[in-house]
Amino acid sequence: IAAKEVQADSKTRAGWCSEWLRTGGFPEVVIDGAGPKYLATLFDAIILRDLVSRHRIRNSLAIKTLAQILINNTTCRYSARGLERSLGKLSFSTIQRYIGFFGEAYLLFELEAFSFKARQRVRSEKKIFAVDNGFIRACSQSLLGGEAPALENTVFIELIRQGYVPNLSLFYARTKSGFEVDFLLPD
C-alpha cells in the first residue's frame, strides 16, 4: 500500500508541477482558479494603468505592441535594433526606455550575454523573461509551446529570487561555436 501511495503522490506532484509551469503562480490563478483571461487583463492593466499613466506615454498602443512582441518571444534572443526595424514607429531609444519600464514594473526582464567587456555586453542580443509563466500562456500567441521555455523562464525567476541580479551577477552566454548557455553566474 505504501508503494502505491508514493507512486500516486509522485504523479500528483508531477501533474501539479506541469500545471504550474503552464499557469504560473499568481494566487488568484492557483487558489481561486482564475484563468488566462484574468492574467491577460492583469498584464494589460499593468501596462495601461501603471506604465502609461506613470510615465505619461502618449502612444499606449506602441508600448502594448512592444510588450506583446516580447511576451511572445520569452526566453528568446532579440535586439532593440531589430525591434526598431519591425515596429517602425518606435525609435531605438524609446524601445530601450520602454523595456526598462517593463523591468521597473516587474513584468518583463532582459538579460545580457556575458562578456568581460562592458561594451560587448551592451551591444549583445538580449534575452527576455516574464515575471510569471502564466503571463506567457495568457498573453502569447507563441507556437513554441512545450515545457522548455517555461522551464527556462522558471529557472530565471528562481535565480532572481535567490538574489542574483540580471546583467550584474546573472547573464547568458554564447560559445564561439554557437552554443548557448542559458544562465551564467560569474561568481
Side-chain angles (χ1 to χ4, degrees), residues 101-154:
F101 295 163
F102 298 146
E104 287 174 14
Y106 297 100
L107 189 61
L108 298 168
F109 300 95
E110 69 176 1
L111 190 63
E112 295 175 348
F114 178 79
S115 174
F116 288 106
K117 298 178 182 176
R119 184 178 291 177
Q120 284 182 341
R121 280 197 310 265
V122 171
R123 289 184 177 179
S124 71
E125 288 184 314
K126 314 288 190 264
K127 288 179 76 170
I128 197 77
F129 294 91
V131 72
D132 189 81
N133 283 350
F135 281 143
I136 299 168
R137 179 175 170 236
C139 303
S140 172
Q141 294 85 33
S142 177
L143 299 176
L144 290 176
E147 290 186 350
L151 283 170
E152 185 176 345
N153 194 71
T154 300

Side-chain angles (χ1 to χ4, degrees), residues 6 15 51 58 96 101 116 124 130 151 168 172 174:
V6 169
L51 299 180
R58 285 176 268 158
Q96 288 185 311
F101 295 163
F116 288 106
S124 71
L151 283 170
L168 189 60
Y172 81 93
R174 288 188 55 119

Side-chain angles (χ1 to χ4, degrees), residues 7-113:
Q7 186 178 12
D9 186 46
S10 176
K11 286 181 182 178
T12 302
R13 277 193 305 243
W16 179 85
C17 184
S18 179
E19 181 69 15
W20 183 82
L21 283 172
R22 287 186 323 103
T23 61
F26 276 99
E28 292 83 356
V29 175
V30 175
I31 297 169
D32 298 338
K37 189 173 183 177
Y38 167 79
L39 289 172
T41 303
L42 181 60
F43 189 82
D44 288 344
I46 292 170
I47 292 168
L48 298 175
R49 292 187 189 149
D50 186 22
L51 299 180
V52 169
S53 64
R54 183 178 351 143
H55 297 288
R56 295 183 181 130
I57 297 170
R58 285 176 268 158
N59 190 348
S60 60
L61 181 61
I63 193 169
K64 187 170 187 231
T65 301
L66 178 61
Q68 201 66 45
I69 288 170
L70 292 172
I71 198 79
N72 271 289
N73 291 291
T74 303
T75 74
C76 296
R77 291 187 313 272
Y78 74 92
S79 72
R81 291 279 181 217
L83 289 170
E84 180 185 30
R85 285 189 297 273
S86 297
L87 293 169
K89 57 190 165 200
L90 292 177
S91 70
F92 176 79
S93 61
T94 301
I95 290 169
Q96 288 185 311
R97 203 171 80 242
Y98 287 177
I99 292 171
F101 295 163
F102 298 146
E104 287 174 14
Y106 297 100
L107 189 61
L108 298 168
F109 300 95
E110 69 176 1
L111 190 63
E112 295 175 348

